[in-house]
Amino acid sequence: MTYETNSGTDNGTEPLAAEAPAETVAAEPAPAPSANELASLEKVRHYMAWSAAGGLVPIPGLDLAAVLAAQLKLLSELSAVYGVPFKQDLANPVIGSLIGGVGSLAAAQATTWAIRSIPVVGTLASALWQPAIASAATWALGKVFIQHFESGGTFLDFNPEKVRTYFREQYEAARAGKTDSSETAQAA
């Protein structure tokens, strides 16, 4: 038997391994999001806007309080969707731990505060990026808790160290404008 190859003819009885037809393996489609996940993503997008608005508050400290309030309200609503009791005393430190543990986010916050100290120019400059930072952090926080609640977790068993990488990935995705659930649905 003769087989034609790109480099000539082979007179063997088997096709060359390089010439053998490759099996195609179809990738399994990602599972469809649950109704809870879809409802939760809508809430996350809603509170991203509120966080961005909080980032526009021109008074240092008050802006962070406004963003934190929006994020706490988001966590409260996400926990309601999943039937998880909301614990504000547990949620506050979790938010701080996740946000403080992401170097680029912490650095951006520190830079914003430093630039805000410059009269007029600092306030205007921070108004350009503070809303984006707050919005991206809220997206990442929401995605982390959706994943946690989808897997049956509660506030009591939440471990920020285990999700820090996923939080960072989601934060960076949001900063890049990729908040479509199909682009960010991969689990940590």
Side-chain angles (χ1 to χ4, degrees), residues 5-135:
T5 66
N6 290 338
S7 59
T9 304
D10 176 31
N11 291 327
T13 58
E14 298 285 327
L16 295 174
E19 304 298 323
E23 290 184 34
T24 57
V25 177
E28 284 188 36
S34 70
N36 284 347
E37 185 175 0
L38 292 174
S40 294
L41 285 171
E42 286 304 311
K43 291 182 183 304
V44 171
R45 287 185 179 93
H46 175 81
Y47 283 101
M48 285 174 69
W50 279 106
S51 292
L56 287 172
V57 174
I59 301 166
L62 191 55
D63 60 340
L64 292 179
V67 172
L68 179 60
Q71 291 173 340
L72 284 170
K73 183 67 174 155
L74 168 64
L75 292 183
S76 171
E77 290 193 18
L78 292 180
S79 65
V81 168
Y82 288 95
V84 173
F86 177 69
K87 307 272 189 202
Q88 184 172 342
D89 58 325
L90 296 176
N92 277 335
V94 163
I95 293 171
S97 175
L98 284 173
I99 291 174
V102 176
S104 62
L105 182 54
Q109 287 292 87
T111 302
T112 298
W113 278 49
I115 289 178
R116 274 199 173 161
S117 66
I118 303 169
V120 182
V121 173
T123 302
L124 293 174
S126 68
L128 295 176
W129 68 74
Q130 184 65 18
I133 292 169
S135 180

Side-chain angles (χ1 to χ4, degrees), residues 82-85 145-158:
Y82 288 95
V84 173
F145 273 91
I146 289 170
Q147 179 189 56
H148 183 65
F149 292 155
E150 280 283 324
S151 67
T154 68
F155 283 100
L156 294 174
D157 63 7
F158 184 78

